[in-house]
Amino acid sequence: MDEVVGVHGVVKRFGTFTALAGVSLTIGHNQFFTLLGPSGCGKTTLLRCIAGFEDVSEGTILLEGRDIARLAPNLRPVNTVFQHYALFPHMTVAQNVAFGLKMQGMAPGPRLKRAGEMLELVHLSAFADRFPSQLSGGQQQRVALARALAPQPKVLLLDEPLSALDLKLRQAMRVELKQLQEGTGITFIFVTHDQEEALTMSDRIAVMSAGEVRQIGSAREIYEAPVNRFVAGFIGETNLLPVRVGSIAGGMARVLLPGGHPLTCPAADAVPAGSPHVSIRPERMTLVPPGTGDLDATVDRLIYLGTDLQVQARLADGTALHLRLQNSARATPPEAGSTIGIVIEDGAARLLAD
Amino acid sequence: MAGPAASGSAGTGYRSITGPLLLPTWVMIGIFLLLPVLLMTVYSFLTREFRGGVDWTFSLAAYDRFLLNRGLFGDEPPVLEWTYITIFWRSIWQAGLATLICLIVGFPTAWFIATRPAHSRALWLFMITVPYWVNLLIRTVSLRFLLRDQGPLNDALIGAGLLDSPLQIINTNLAVQLGLFYSYLPFMVLPVYAAVERYNFALSEAAADLYASRWTTLREIVLPVVRPGIIAGCILVFVPSLGAFLAPDLLGGAKTYMIGSLIEEQFKGSQGNWPFGAAVSVILMTLVLIVLMIYARAQGRAGAH
Ligand SMILES: Nc1ncnc2c1ncn2[C@@H]1O[C@H](COP(=O)(O)OP(=O)(O)OP(=O)(O)O)[C@@H](O)[C@H]1O
Ligand SMILES: [Mg+2]
């Protein structure tokens, strides 16, 4: 079994509030695993349960097959990069990085040597004797990383480690973090609410909302084959159109679009309860003359986005939708107030569970 | 994290107080601090006037009396006088012990308050200060009443069958320690509370995450980080304990005689000796100053971080 971390039915309650409502996921060796979700969905809580800072109310957390859910944090072979770094202010950078090794009982010689190696890894060798308050935010972030990696944990937990950095640095650190993960072969569990960050770095992503995991998959699976409205809406931009479902067979559904046009599209396995919707990415639709496409709509507004042009339109029943057109000299953009026809690319629409 | 920014020069325009605004401060410091200290130092070098007061002629008699013993009639060869050094030593020892006890009790208390929900902290702090609404003299006298041989404490202990005869508490070191502890505990709790309240508990989590046990976390992370508050608390308890005279006077006996009482006596009635009292004060002040300088240096080293 190639599983490092197994979270099984973890429930976490704070008083009467349920922060995690039965979370299950498995994480393999050498994976960059991301927990993605909106603010307050329980990402930090799940990470803190794995690290041991919160007791789980129910469920088990396995680390290489051993249940660690009731172990004290200092007995768990996982390390954390804290959101605000939590560097020890009274210790130098080198002492910070060596702290975990010292606690593990490594002798001063080897541990300072290893701290030096870790600092080299994060390009901070020149700062070994400074105190954390004498470093920039980005440098502190690297120290936190080196400190957590030094004891060679089985799993590294990172809680939005890039959120305090500016955009440029954040983008550079994404690449570096990914390289570091691949170089060390340590499994990373990375928390973020930034979908771009999640899509660019992760091997696998768990999308969470309101204390539940809504979908787990690769970046491509989650973006191209969302299984429910929440995931479709949260990752990237999408249009959700209400439809009537005819039949579902072999993963394909026959539906009636608003306006009555039929469409065959891939579907999640179960017949969606409640009001079914299809999700269509704005860049997967093209314009045709009115009456000749899958949908007819009235243009509300055009938004110029540089390389792209966004068309905000409205169906006859009032459903809003938007399209993204490549901004090319050949195509004449539609005018506001005009009626347009829309063709949905093959396989672009997906029928979603609620 | 705000370290470098806070010590930068960009904000000086907002931080410095200048000119007339400082005048009241300087007047207060001048009249109520510098002038008395100067007067006392001068007095310590004057000649004793019987029935109190001083005669304005220069004399080293006060310091001579403190340090040297020339026999009952002052005509023997001088040897080192141990009486007052012993009193000093006892005072330092008592004050140090009181500080230690205040720290042992005050630190967990401060920790407890600082970790309460924000809205109830004010109430806890308020409760710590409630006893201070009563005058120190009255509190000390009450303590004496409580502790004496036929007092409520001994009555209760005998009544409960725990003792046959009263336990001698009054006039012992224990009673003095209780008095000092009771008098100065808040001076420990408040600065330690201020430091613990600012303590970032994520640091403790980080330490636990890096395999430190609870005790190691306390020793290696918590105590060093809140050290300025602990040192401030220790100074605020140690300094007044060193010069205390109410607790030793009212709760202690001849064996617990402390500097505060020695000084007090020199300025009381016709038996007093003003220059000698002033000299003892100057020596005490010098001692305190040395303690404070050690503190300032420790702070300076901590501030370098
Ligand atoms: N100690 C606590 N006591 C009570 N409720 C808590 C506690 N910690 C977290 N919660 C609640 O649990 C929910 C999940 O919190 P959590 O910090 O895990 O969110 P998050 O997904 O990390 O959000 P963010 O992206 O804003 O960091 C929130 O609604 C929060 O209010
Ligand atoms: Mg969070």
Side-chain angles (χ1 to χ4, degrees):
Chain A
M1 191 177 56
D2 194 31
E3 170 191 311
V4 185
V5 179
V7 175
H8 299 288
V10 164
V11 174
K12 174 65 193 176
R13 293 185 207 93
F14 292 107
T16 58
F17 178 79
T18 306
L20 296 176
V23 170
S24 296
L25 41 87
T26 60
I27 302 170
H29 270 291
N30 198 2
Q31 255 188 21
F32 200 114
F33 190 94
T34 298
L35 299 173
L36 175 65
S39 188
C41 72
K43 307 179 296 290
T44 298
T45 305
L46 179 55
L47 211 63
R48 290 172 60 80
C49 286
I50 297 174
F53 304 135
E54 306 282 0
D55 300 324
V56 300
S57 309
E58 287 170 32
T60 55
I61 298 172
L62 302 181
L63 189 81
E64 293 186 333
R66 188 167 66 111
D67 189 0
I68 57 165
R70 268 108 200 144
L71 280 185
N74 53 323
L75 301 177
R76 302 186 189 198
V78 298
N79 288 146
T80 307
V81 177
F82 291 83
Q83 185 167 8
H84 298 288
Y85 317 140
L87 298 177
F88 305 130
H90 59 296
M91 295 184 192
T92 64
V93 165
Q95 286 168 334
N96 264 280
V97 175
F99 186 80
L101 304 169
K102 183 176 171 190
M103 291 303 115
Q104 286 181 322
M106 195 187 267
R111 78 171 177 250
L112 284 178
K113 183 165 167 288
R114 178 143 178 78
E117 289 164 10
M118 294 315 300
L119 286 175
E120 210 164 303
L121 198 63
V122 297
H123 316 296
L124 278 181
S125 301
F127 298 86
D129 295 325
R130 290 218 195 161
F131 287 95
S133 62
Q134 299 167 316
L135 300 179
S136 74
Q139 290 162 344
Q140 290 180 19
Q141 204 269 334
R142 285 153 192 269
V143 176
L145 201 58
R147 184 178 71 174
L149 281 172
Q152 289 179 302
K154 301 229 182 329
V155 178
L156 187 74
L157 310 174
L158 304 100
D159 191 358
E160 308 206 20
L162 307 183
S163 63
L165 307 180
D166 68 48
L167 184 65
K168 267 268 159 54
L169 200 54
R170 203 153 66 217
Q171 286 169 341
M173 280 307 293
R174 279 180 200 165
V175 180
E176 246 182 87
L177 267 183
K178 180 71 185 147
Q179 284 172 346
L180 214 55
Q181 188 268 320
E182 284 165 358
T184 55
I186 292 173
T187 297
F188 279 29
I189 304 181
F190 183 88
V191 163
T192 184
H193 59 241
D194 181 334
Q195 45 156 311
E196 192 185 325
E197 214 162 86
L199 293 177
T200 53
M201 298 163 77
S202 320
D203 297 319
R204 281 166 73 72
I205 300 172
V207 183
M208 296 180 64
S209 92
E212 289 181 73
V213 174
R214 306 304 302 272
Q215 184 172 1
I216 302 180
S218 67
R220 177 174 284 267
E221 280 164 2
I222 281 184
Y223 186 78
E224 303 205 345
V227 297
N228 53 45
R229 279 166 68 183
F230 175 79
V231 174
F234 188 71
I235 313 287
E237 289 178 68
T238 199
N239 293 292
L240 291 170
L241 302 183
V243 293
R244 286 167 54 203
V245 181
S247 62
I248 301 183
M252 297 299 279
R254 285 190 58 76
V255 300
L256 278 185
L257 291 171
H261 203 90
L263 187 77
T264 304
C265 65
D269 302 333
V271 182
S275 53
H277 284 71
V278 291
S279 153
I280 310 162
R281 299 286 180 198
E283 71 275 15
R284 303 288 301 271
M285 293 183 279
T286 46
L287 291 192
V288 291
T292 64
D294 297 315
L295 297 161
D296 280 334
T298 310
V299 176
D300 278 344
R301 193 177 293 126
L302 291 172
I303 297 170
Y304 178 73
L305 297 170
T307 56
D308 285 352
L309 193 65
Q310 189 184 50
V311 182
Q312 294 191 339
R314 191 167 298 281
L315 301 181
D317 66 355
T319 309
L321 95 173
H322 58 282
L323 296 76
R324 230 171 226 261
L325 306 176
Q326 290 231 330
N327 206 359
S328 82
R330 282 180 288 118
T332 39
E335 278 168 33
S338 65
T339 305
I340 50 171
I342 296 169
V343 172
I344 300 165
E345 286 177 21
D346 272 350
R350 274 186 68 84
L351 181 64
L352 300 179
D354 251 341
Chain B
M1 323 267 124
S7 59
S9 58
T12 39
Y14 294 98
R15 272 189 274 124
S16 61
I17 295 179
T18 45
L21 276 180
L22 277 179
L23 197 64
T25 310
W26 283 119
V27 169
M28 291 297 277
I29 290 179
I31 294 181
F32 294 107
L33 192 84
L34 297 180
L35 192 64
V37 168
L38 191 72
L39 267 178
M40 197 177 64
T41 312
V42 170
Y43 269 41
S44 73
F45 290 106
L46 296 179
T47 306
R48 174 186 182 194
E49 177 79 59
F50 294 91
R51 300 176 301 278
V54 286
D55 179 34
W56 281 81
T57 44
F58 178 82
S59 158
L60 282 174
Y63 292 93
D64 187 281
R65 174 175 165 195
F66 187 91
L67 282 174
L68 301 175
N69 185 345
R70 296 173 193 276
L72 195 54
F73 302 101
D75 51 3
E76 291 166 31
V79 292
L80 192 60
E81 169 68 273
W82 284 103
T83 314
Y84 305 113
I85 293 175
T86 308
I87 294 174
F88 260 72
W89 177 240
R90 185 189 296 140
S91 300
I92 291 170
W93 188 84
Q94 286 274 23
L97 186 63
T99 307
L100 187 69
I101 294 172
C102 281
L103 179 61
I104 289 170
V105 176
F107 187 85
T109 309
W111 189 276
F112 174 83
I113 297 173
T115 50
R116 288 315 93 192
H119 58 88
S120 63
R121 286 179 211 160
L123 183 67
W124 286 105
L125 286 176
F126 171 77
M127 274 156 53
I128 289 279
T129 58
V130 163
Y132 291 76
W133 296 14
V134 177
N135 180 284
L136 178 62
L137 177 63
I138 294 172
R139 273 184 289 139
T140 312
V141 172
S142 311
L143 205 53
R144 176 176 181 81
F145 170 76
L146 279 173
L147 299 177
R148 62 183 183 170
D149 292 0
Q150 283 81 35
L153 183 65
N154 270 312
D155 284 354
L157 287 175
I158 293 169
L162 292 169
L163 292 176
D164 296 331
S165 56
L167 185 69
Q168 163 90 44
I169 302 174
I170 211 74
N171 299 349
T172 64
N173 275 331
L174 179 65
V176 177
Q177 281 302 323
L178 271 172
L180 292 176
F181 169 75
Y182 185 47
S183 306
Y184 300 121
L185 181 64
F187 296 133
M188 181 63 80
V189 173
L190 294 177
V192 174
Y193 163 79
V196 175
E197 202 239 6
R198 267 181 287 127
Y199 177 73
N200 174 10
F201 284 91
L203 296 181
S204 292
E205 289 188 347
D209 191 62
L210 294 162
Y211 316 111
S213 66
R214 282 169 176 272
W215 277 113
T216 314
T217 304
L218 182 69
R219 202 182 61 236
E220 301 255 340
I221 310 293
V222 177
L223 290 180
V225 171
V226 302
R227 194 179 63 166
I230 292 177
I231 294 179
C234 287
I235 286 178
L236 288 180
V237 173
F238 182 78
V239 170
S241 296
L242 197 56
F245 63 91
L246 279 180
D249 258 14
L250 295 174
L251 303 172
K255 287 207 208 83
T256 62
Y257 195 75
M258 284 173 65
I259 308 173
S261 311
L262 177 66
I263 295 173
E264 188 208 5
E265 271 174 20
Q266 305 312 316
F267 294 97
K268 248 175 31 186
S270 55
Q271 293 306 307
N273 180 339
W274 285 27
F276 183 62
V280 176
S281 297
V282 168
I283 293 167
L284 178 63
M285 218 169 51
T286 312
L287 255 171
V288 169
L289 220 65
I290 290 170
V291 172
L292 285 178
M293 265 151 69
I294 292 170
Y295 167 66
R297 287 190 55 178
Q299 277 291 76
R301 253 182 288 128
H305 296 172

